[in-house]
RNA sequence: GCGCCCGUAGCUCAACUGGAUAGAGCAACGGCCUUCUAAGCCGUAGGUUACAGGUUCGAGUCCUGUCGGGCGCGCCA
C-alpha cells in the first residue's frame, strides 16, 4: 500500500520539479505514516513540510500544489490537507479489503518476506558460563534473542543461532574445585567450602555422585587443604586451591571433576533452552579455539602487525590506538591467554564463516567490553559494521516486595526452569518479549505467577481460540466455509471491519520494521492491537446470524484474523491454541 | 571521578528513528451473558513525559546542564 502511494507521490513531486516549484536536484524522502486518528485518514505524508524550505513556500500552499499534481488512483477515496501541512490520504474499501486476498493466498507465509532472500546473519545469545543453571536474568536474553532470530528470519534473513560455551578459564576451574570440595565433604573430610566458591545445591549433588562413584580415590587431608590457603586473601586462596587440586588430582583427576561439572551443567542448559523453545544451530566451544590453534594464530597476526607488544612479562593489545580507554592484556605473564584473547579469535572465526552480520546479545554489564572487541576487529582488518552488539538490561527481580539477588556463585537466584514451571514457557516468553531490550525491567515474581492468566498473551490467544470455535460452530450448522477467498469482500464496510482490516494489512510492515530495529516487542504490541480489534468486533456482531453474502465475508475476515494472529505468535515463539 | 543505559498515569510498559489531541494492561469506579468461549466488550477517572534551558513549522523523541536509578571502569569471565 505504501509502495503504491510512494509511486503516486513521486510522480507529483517530479512534475513540480519540472515546473521549478521544487529545486530539481533536491533529494526528496517520501515517508508515509499510519495515522493515529481516523479524522486524519489512513495514511499521512509530511513531505510538504519537509519541502517547504527548499521550495520557499509555506507548507499548506505547497501541499495544495502536490495534491493537484497527484494522479488519480482507484484505491484513493480522497486526499485532504490538514494541520501544518499534512497530506492525509483516505483509502476506499477495496484498498482495505485487498489484504484479505493476500492473506488467503499466502497463509502461513503472510507477512513474511521471501525466505533467505536477504542477509546471512549469525545471532549469538545467552552464552552464559556453564557454571550453574540458567536463571531468570538469562531468560530475558534467551527470549529476546530467539524472538529476534525469528523476526529476522521472518523478514527474509537467513539466521543461525549460536551459543558460545565458556568451557575454559578460571570460572570453570573454580567450579571444578567447588565440586571437589563437595566431594570431599561427601566422603566425610571436614573441609569448608570457600566463601567465593560456587554454593548452589547442584554442586553438592555433583560432589555426592562422584563420591558414590569413586569412593575415596581423590581424597586429601583437611590439614593439607587448609594449609594451601593460609595467609592468602579470598581470591588468592581460591587460586591456590585450584593449583592444589590440579597438583593432587593430576590432569586426569582434575579433568574428571571439571568435565563432570561442565557436561552435566551444559546438558541441563541445553535441555532448559530446548524446553523453552530455543534450538541452537551451534554450540561453540571456547576450548576448541585453543585446540585448533586459532588463538595462537590471531595473536601471532597481531604481534606481526605491531598491535600487540610486551610489557612486564605480559602481552598487551594496543586497543587505545582504536579508541579504547586503555590497552588490554591478551597473554598473562604466566603464559595463559586471557578471555579477551579467546574472544579475538572467536570473532575472527565468526566472520571467517562468511556471515554478512554477526549479532551479539550481551548483558548490559558487558558494555565496557565493546570498544576492545571492535578494536580487535579493526586491527585484524575485519569490517566493524559486520558486528552488532545489542545490550539487554538486567531484569531486577522482586519477590514479596523485596529485591532478589541473582548471583550464580552465591547460589542465590531464581532459575528459568522454576519460572517456566510456574507460569509456562509460552507465558514467560511473551512476558519477556513485550519489553524492549534496553529498557530496565522490573520483574515481580509474585505478580508474574498470580497474574499469569492476565498476561496479555492469553488475550491474544483467546481471540484465536474464539475464531476456531466460531468455525466449529459453522461446521456444526453446515455452513459452507470452503471458499472464503471467493467471498464478496465489499460486504465489509462497518467501521469495526475497516479497523480490523487496516490492522491486518499492516502486519508485513510491522514485521519489517521490527526486524530493521531489532525490536521483537513491536510484534507483541501489534498482536494486542489485532486482538482488541477482533474482540470488539466479535462482541457487537453475531457472525453466524448474519445474512448471506455478508456472513461468508465476515467468516473470511475472521479466518484472516486467525491467520495473522497465528503468524504473529509464531514469530514470538508462542503457540496459538485452538481452544482455551 | 570517567563511560554506557534509563527516567512517560498509583503499578508494569508502548508511542511508526522529529509529527497533529502522549496510548494500552493491571489496580479503582459504573454498565453488558436464556443468542458464535465474560480469559471478553462498552464507559468513567487518572499526565507540566524527572527538572531547567536550547535547536525548528513541530520535541516524550535531538543538543547542553542538573537531579535520581541501574551497570561498567581486573594480567576475572
Amino acid at each position: 500500500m505504501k509502495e503504491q502511494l510512494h509511486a503516486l507521490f513521486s510522480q507529483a513531486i517530479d512534475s513540480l520539479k519540472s515546473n521549478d516549484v521544487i529545486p530539481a536536484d533536491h533529494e526528496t524522502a517520501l515517508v508515509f505514516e499510519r495515522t493515529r486518528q481516523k479524522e486524519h485518514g489512513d495514511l499521512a505524508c509530511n513531505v510538504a513540510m519537509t519541502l517547504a524550505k527548499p521550495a520557499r513556500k509555506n507548507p499548506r500552499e505547497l501541499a495544495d500544489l502536490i495534491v493537484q499534481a497527484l494522479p488519480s488512483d482507484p484505491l484513493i477515496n480522497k486526499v485532504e490537507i490538514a494541520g501544518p501541512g499534512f497530506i492525509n490520504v483516505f483509502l476506499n474499501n477495496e484498498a482495505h479489503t485487498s489484504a484479505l486476498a493476500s492473506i488467503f493466498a499466502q497463509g502461513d507465509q503472510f507477512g513474511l518476506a521471501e525466505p533467505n532472500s536477504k542477509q546471512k546473519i549469525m545471532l549469538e545469545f545467552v552464552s552464559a558460563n556453564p557454571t550453574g543453571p540458567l536463571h531468570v536474568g538469562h531468560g530475558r536474553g534467551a527470549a529476546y534473542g530467539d524472538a529476534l532470530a525469528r523476526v529476522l528470519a521472518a523478514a527474509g534473513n537467513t539466521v543461525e543461532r549460536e551459543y558460545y560455551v565458556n568451557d575454559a578459564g578460571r570460572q570453570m576451574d573454580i567450579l571444578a574445585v567447588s565440586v571437589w570440595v563437595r566431594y570431599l565433604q561427601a566422603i566425610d573430610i571436614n573441609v569448608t567450602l570457600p566463601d567465593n566458591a560456587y554454593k548452589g545445591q547442584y554442586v553438592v549433588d555433583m560432589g555426592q555422585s562422584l563420591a558414590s562413584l569413586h569412593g575415596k580415590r581423590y581424597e586429601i587431608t583437611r590439614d593439607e587443604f587448609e594449609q594451601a590457603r593460609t595467609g592468602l586473601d579470598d581470591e588468592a586462596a581460591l587460586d591456590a586451591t585450584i593449583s592444589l587440586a590440579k597438583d593432587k588430582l593430576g590432569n586426569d583427576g582434575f579433568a574428571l571433576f571439571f568435565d563432570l561439572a561442565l557436561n552435566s551443567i551444559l546438558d541441563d542448559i541445553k535441555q532448559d533452552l530446548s524446553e523453552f523453545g530455543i534450538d541452537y544451530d551451534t554450540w561453540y566451544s571456547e576450548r576448541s579455539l585453543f585446540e585448533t590453534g586459532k588463538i595462537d594464530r590471531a595473536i601471532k597476526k597481531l604481534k606481526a602487525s605491531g598491535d600487540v607488544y610486551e610489557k612486564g612479562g605480559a602481552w598487551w593489545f594496543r586497543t587505545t590506538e582504536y579508541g579504547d580507554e586503555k590497552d588490554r592484556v591478551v597473554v598473562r605473564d604466566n603464559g595463559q591467554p586471557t578471555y579477551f584473547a579467546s574472544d579475538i579469535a572467536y570473532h575472527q572465526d565468526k566472520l571467517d564463516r562468511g556471515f554478512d552480520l554477526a549479532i551479539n546479545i550481551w548483558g548490559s554489564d558487558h558494555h565496557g567490553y565493546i570498544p576492545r572487541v571492535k578494536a580487535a576487529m579493526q586491527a585484524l582488518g575485519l569490517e566493524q559494521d559486520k558486528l552488532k552488539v545489542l545490550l539487554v538490561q538486567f531484569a531486577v527481580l522482586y519477590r514479596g516486595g523485596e529485591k532478589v539477588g541473582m548471583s550464580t556463585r552465591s547460589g542465590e537466584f531464581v532459575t528459568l526452569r522454576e519460572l517456566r514451571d510456574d507460569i509456562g514457557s509460552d507465558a514467560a516468553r511473551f512476558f519477556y518479549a513485550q519489553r524492549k531490550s534496553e529498557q530496565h525491567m522490573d520483574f515481580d515474581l509474585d505478580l508474574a505467577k498470580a497474574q499469569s492468566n492476565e498476561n496479555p498473551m492469553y488475550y491474544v490467544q483467546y481471540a484465536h481460540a474464539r475464531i476456531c470455535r466460531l468455525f466449529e460452530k459453522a461446521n456444526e450448522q453446515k455452513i459452507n466455509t470452503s471458499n472464503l477467498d471467493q467471498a464478496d469482500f465489499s460486504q465489509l464496510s462497518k467501521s469495526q471491519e475497516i479497523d480490523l482490516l487496516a490492522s491486518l494489512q499492516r502486519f508485513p510492515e510491522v514485521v519489517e520494521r521490527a526486524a530493521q530495529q531489532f525490536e521483537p516487542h513491536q510484534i507483541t504490541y501489534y498482536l494486542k492491537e489485532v486482538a482488541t480489534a477482533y474482540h470488539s468486533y466479535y462482541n457487537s456482531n453475531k457472525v453466524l446470524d448474519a445474512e448471506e453474502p455478508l456472513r461468508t465475508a465476515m467468516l473470511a475476515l475472521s479466518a484472516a484474523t486467525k491467520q495473522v494472529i497465528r503468524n504473529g505468535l509464531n514469530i514470538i515463539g508462542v503457540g496459538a491454541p485452538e481452544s482455551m
Side-chain angles (χ1 to χ4, degrees):
Chain A
M1 189 55 55
K2 283 186 179 177
E3 288 85 54
Q4 295 171 51
L5 288 180
H6 198 278
L8 293 173
F9 273 71
S10 293
Q11 280 186 48
I13 301 287
D14 285 346
S15 82
L16 290 182
K17 277 180 181 170
S18 60
N19 293 338
D20 288 334
V21 176
I22 301 165
D25 57 349
H26 188 266
E27 292 252 346
T28 311
L30 273 173
V31 179
F32 294 93
E33 263 187 349
R34 297 280 173 179
T35 60
R36 226 184 287 230
Q37 282 150 300
K38 270 188 202 164
E39 306 85 71
H40 298 147
D42 296 293
L43 291 155
C45 184
N46 66 354
V47 71
M49 272 126 60
T50 58
L51 279 176
K53 213 166 236 179
R56 275 182 262 152
K57 284 209 178 316
N58 89 51
R60 287 194 66 114
E61 198 181 320
L62 187 60
D64 198 45
L65 293 172
I66 294 171
V67 170
Q68 279 173 35
L70 206 59
S72 69
D73 189 276
L75 295 178
I76 296 176
N77 191 10
K78 63 172 173 171
V79 177
E80 276 180 6
I81 298 163
F86 288 103
I87 301 175
N88 292 333
V89 179
F90 293 74
L91 301 172
N92 64 19
N93 256 14
E94 286 91 288
H96 289 125
T97 54
S98 65
L100 293 179
S102 314
I103 295 171
F104 286 120
Q106 296 170 36
D108 288 342
Q109 299 303 307
F110 177 73
L112 281 54
E114 181 71 24
N116 308 324
S117 60
K118 295 206 184 124
Q119 289 190 305
K120 193 178 165 200
I121 298 175
M122 180 242 261
L123 188 56
E124 184 221 319
F125 61 111
V126 185
S127 300
N129 287 348
T131 52
L134 298 178
H135 54 61
V136 295
H138 299 125
R140 184 176 189 186
Y144 172 68
D146 194 59
L148 180 60
R150 287 165 186 262
V151 166
L152 290 171
N157 300 288
T158 307
V159 181
E160 282 188 28
R161 294 164 175 79
E162 182 155 303
Y163 189 117
Y164 181 52
V165 183
N166 296 121
D167 51 6
R170 182 167 178 264
Q171 292 302 327
M172 284 305 298
D173 285 343
I174 295 172
L175 177 69
V177 162
S178 305
V179 175
W180 185 46
V181 170
R182 293 305 195 188
Y183 156 84
L184 292 171
Q185 291 174 341
I187 57 172
D188 295 325
I189 291 168
N190 188 21
V191 292
T192 48
L193 185 75
D195 257 359
N196 47 1
Y198 286 95
K199 290 179 172 160
Q201 177 61 36
Y202 60 96
V203 180
V204 178
D205 297 342
M206 288 188 283
Q208 282 172 351
S209 83
L210 281 170
S212 60
L213 226 64
H214 298 283
K216 301 198 167 186
R217 190 167 159 193
Y218 300 102
E219 71 177 332
I220 181 177
T221 65
R222 180 178 189 277
D223 288 349
E224 225 177 333
F225 183 88
E226 298 297 342
Q227 200 182 350
R229 304 176 50 84
T230 46
L232 298 169
D233 69 41
D234 286 354
E235 290 300 316
L238 203 51
D239 286 330
T241 310
I242 291 168
S243 300
L244 175 72
K246 286 181 174 171
D247 194 40
K248 283 288 162 190
L249 302 175
N251 280 344
D252 290 351
F254 191 79
L256 179 80
F257 285 85
F258 188 102
D259 289 342
L260 176 94
L262 171 64
N263 292 330
S264 65
I265 290 174
L266 199 55
D267 284 348
D268 175 76
I269 288 174
K270 286 180 180 178
Q271 192 194 347
D272 199 10
L273 288 170
S274 171
E275 286 169 10
F276 199 36
I278 302 175
D279 291 302
Y280 282 93
D281 298 288
T282 315
W283 295 79
Y284 198 101
S285 154
E286 179 185 2
R287 221 183 332 179
S288 76
L289 290 167
F290 288 89
E291 291 161 1
T292 55
K294 284 176 179 160
I295 292 176
D296 286 344
R297 274 204 295 282
I299 291 172
K300 236 176 237 166
K301 193 169 164 185
L302 292 169
K303 280 181 183 170
S305 64
D307 288 298
V308 164
Y309 62 92
E310 195 191 352
K311 190 179 99 185
W315 289 89
W316 297 72
F317 192 144
R318 219 181 288 279
T319 46
T320 45
E321 286 292 309
Y322 304 95
D324 199 5
E325 314 174 312
K326 52 188 280 193
D327 290 348
R328 311 288 175 174
V329 171
V330 284
V331 182
R332 286 183 271 256
D333 57 10
N334 65 9
Q336 286 295 308
T338 60
Y339 174 79
F340 181 39
S342 307
D343 239 8
I344 294 170
Y346 179 45
H347 283 90
Q348 167 90 61
D349 184 70
K350 270 190 184 180
L351 295 189
D352 284 350
R353 282 186 272 162
F355 294 100
D356 301 313
L357 180 65
I359 299 176
N360 295 350
I361 295 178
W362 285 350
S364 60
D365 56 335
H366 281 60
H367 66 78
Y369 196 73
I370 298 172
R372 79 187 78 162
V373 174
K374 291 271 187 183
M377 294 187 62
Q378 279 184 69
L380 290 167
L382 302 171
E383 276 178 66
Q384 275 189 91
D385 292 348
K386 287 194 169 181
L387 175 68
K388 174 100 185 157
V389 180
L390 299 171
L391 297 176
V392 177
Q393 293 292 332
F394 281 174
V396 183
L397 272 195
Y398 292 88
R399 181 193 269 150
E402 296 284 314
K403 210 164 166 179
V404 183
M406 200 55 78
S407 151
T408 305
R409 266 214 226 179
S410 70
E412 180 200 5
F413 52 82
V414 180
T415 63
L416 174 60
R417 183 171 276 117
E418 194 182 320
L419 176 71
R420 290 195 295 102
D421 287 345
D422 274 330
I423 69 174
S425 282
D426 278 358
R429 282 185 77 117
F430 199 92
F431 187 80
Y432 282 123
Q434 283 182 96
R435 268 69 175 181
K436 68 170 160 192
S437 62
E438 70 265 33
Q439 181 65 255
H440 294 274
M441 173 177 178
D442 286 346
F443 199 125
D444 187 325
L445 283 168
D446 303 317
L447 216 62
K449 292 173 196 173
Q451 297 189 342
S452 67
N453 264 11
E454 287 165 20
N455 186 319
M457 174 190 75
Y458 293 97
Y459 181 79
V460 175
Q461 290 184 328
Y462 186 51
H464 183 269
R466 268 183 151 176
I467 298 171
C468 292
R469 179 64 184 147
L470 184 62
F471 278 89
E472 275 177 37
K473 284 271 178 188
N475 287 337
E476 285 168 20
Q477 296 177 26
K478 309 275 186 239
I479 295 168
N480 181 13
T481 57
S482 58
N483 292 315
L484 294 176
D485 55 332
Q486 302 298 315
D488 177 8
F489 300 146
S490 70
Q491 296 288 321
L492 302 170
S493 58
K494 288 191 283 291
S495 80
Q496 282 175 323
E497 288 165 340
I498 302 299
D499 289 349
L500 185 52
L501 284 165
S503 287
L504 298 181
Q505 188 173 55
R506 267 182 56 219
F507 185 52
E509 293 168 24
V510 171
V511 173
E512 171 66 28
R513 234 171 62 84
Q516 246 168 34
Q517 300 178 209
F518 306 110
E519 292 186 346
H521 78 274
Q522 292 186 17
I523 306 287
T524 67
Y525 281 89
Y526 169 75
L527 286 171
K528 284 190 258 186
E529 177 196 314
V530 171
T532 298
Y534 191 79
H535 282 309
S536 174
Y537 180 52
Y538 180 94
N539 258 272
S540 48
N541 295 281
K542 290 277 175 256
V543 175
L544 297 181
D545 293 347
E547 299 290 327
E548 290 295 356
L550 176 59
R551 184 174 65 187
T552 303
M554 290 172 86
L555 282 166
L557 177 58
S558 299
T561 304
K562 174 182 148 186
Q563 182 72 64
V564 168
I565 290 176
R566 275 168 59 95
N567 295 3
L569 284 174
N570 188 42
I571 289 178
I572 305 300
V574 169
E578 309 249 312
S579 69
M580 290 173 67

